[in-house]
Amino acid sequence: MTNMIYALVGPHAAGKATLASQLISMGIHFIPTYTTYDFPQLGRTRQKTKSAQLYRTVSREEFSQLELVVQFTHKGEFYGIRKDDILDALKEHTISVMILESTGIKQLNKFIKKKLSTIYLMADYVTLIDRMLRMGYTNDEIKYHLQYAENNKEFDSWKQTTHVIKNTQDLQTSLAQLLSSIGLSTVVSQEEFDKIVR
């Protein structure tokens, strides 16, 4: 079986960090993004932000010395994915997961060709706004994130991805679809299926 990297793609509040955290808790290898942004230890809901676990904060000087395969800027901060992290993941893990900006899909596809599978998490405006409101975002912050997604064509990036998951349902439904997309579901016999549905 070929070792694969599965990249979660989608606009802000589509559920990338939530689903990535679920996969990490299940023991699935995760490839972090390096950034110059210093995530707060406590999020808006007074819990440690999920994002702080998914990124590695480094100084601007350290960032400039990293060998990156994908790089982008957001609000004046730098973000990137290390070449060695990609190569090590493909060498050592059957399945690895990462979060990827839609602008990085082409860059990463060129680098690892058929060993990348992209999964777009699709959510409508109402769902995205509701999630951001529950996370404590102000109206201006919500407007900014939606405008950013529009300007960077994040709502259309599903056309470039391998799989699309409509992430507007409960977490368990989306997680089950995601596990299926990365090949972590199995076919059961009719007898076992009958027992499950009883």
Side-chain angles (χ1 to χ4, degrees):
M1 182 177 176
T2 303
N3 290 0
M4 291 287 294
I5 292 175
Y6 296 88
L8 304 181
V9 181
H12 189 75
K16 300 182 299 289
T18 299
L19 286 167
S21 297
Q22 289 287 316
L23 295 175
I24 291 167
S25 71
M26 296 168 68
I28 295 171
H29 178 253
F30 183 79
I31 300 167
T33 297
Y34 284 77
T35 181
T36 56
Y37 178 69
D38 193 10
F39 286 91
Q41 287 301 300
L42 293 176
R44 298 164 191 274
T45 58
R46 308 302 298 161
Q47 297 174 350
K48 190 176 187 321
T49 60
K50 285 192 265 320
S51 297
Q53 304 168 54
L54 307 175
Y55 294 81
R56 302 289 179 267
T57 300
V58 295
S59 69
R60 287 180 182 262
E61 184 181 343
E62 290 171 313
F63 188 89
S64 67
Q65 295 170 7
L66 296 173
E67 189 175 2
L68 304 169
V69 288
V70 174
Q71 184 176 347
F72 66 97
T73 57
H74 182 72
K75 288 188 172 182
E77 301 291 350
F78 298 102
Y79 295 80
I81 297 161
R82 289 179 62 231
K83 179 181 180 180
D84 285 348
D85 287 346
I86 298 292
L87 295 175
D88 290 346
L90 289 172
K91 192 187 309 177
E92 298 171 16
H93 301 277
T94 306
I95 294 173
S96 296
V97 176
M98 64 187 297
I99 292 174
L100 183 64
E101 279 283 305
S102 56
T103 54
I105 294 173
K106 285 183 182 175
Q107 297 171 56
L108 203 51
N109 254 327
K110 284 180 186 174
F111 181 60
I112 57 174
K113 300 179 182 167
K114 296 183 180 180
K115 296 186 178 185
L116 174 68
S117 182
T118 48
I119 302 166
Y120 184 82
L121 301 179
M122 185 177 282
D124 54 54
Y125 266 78
V126 173
T127 302
L128 296 175
I129 291 168
D130 180 59
R131 287 176 183 165
M132 285 188 264
L133 285 170
R134 283 190 277 124
M135 289 188 281
Y137 284 71
T138 65
N139 288 342
D140 285 342
E141 289 171 321
I142 293 170
K143 184 178 177 183
Y144 168 82
H145 285 295
L146 293 175
Q147 193 65 54
Y148 179 88
E150 285 283 356
N151 292 343
N152 290 283
K153 302 189 181 343
E154 289 185 343
F155 294 116
D156 293 328
S157 57
W158 63 270
K159 296 171 186 175
Q160 304 173 54
T161 59
T162 316
H163 304 279
V164 176
I165 293 174
K166 187 175 178 186
N167 190 23
T168 56
Q169 303 295 316
D170 63 283
L171 176 62
Q172 292 307 312
T173 300
S174 298
L175 182 60
Q177 291 175 357
L178 178 56
L179 290 170
S180 178
S181 296
I182 62 179
L184 291 177
S185 58
T186 58
V187 177
V188 296
S189 67
Q190 186 62 49
E191 185 180 318
E192 289 172 312
F193 179 78
D194 291 340
K195 287 178 187 174
I196 292 167
V197 297
R198 277 191 197 134

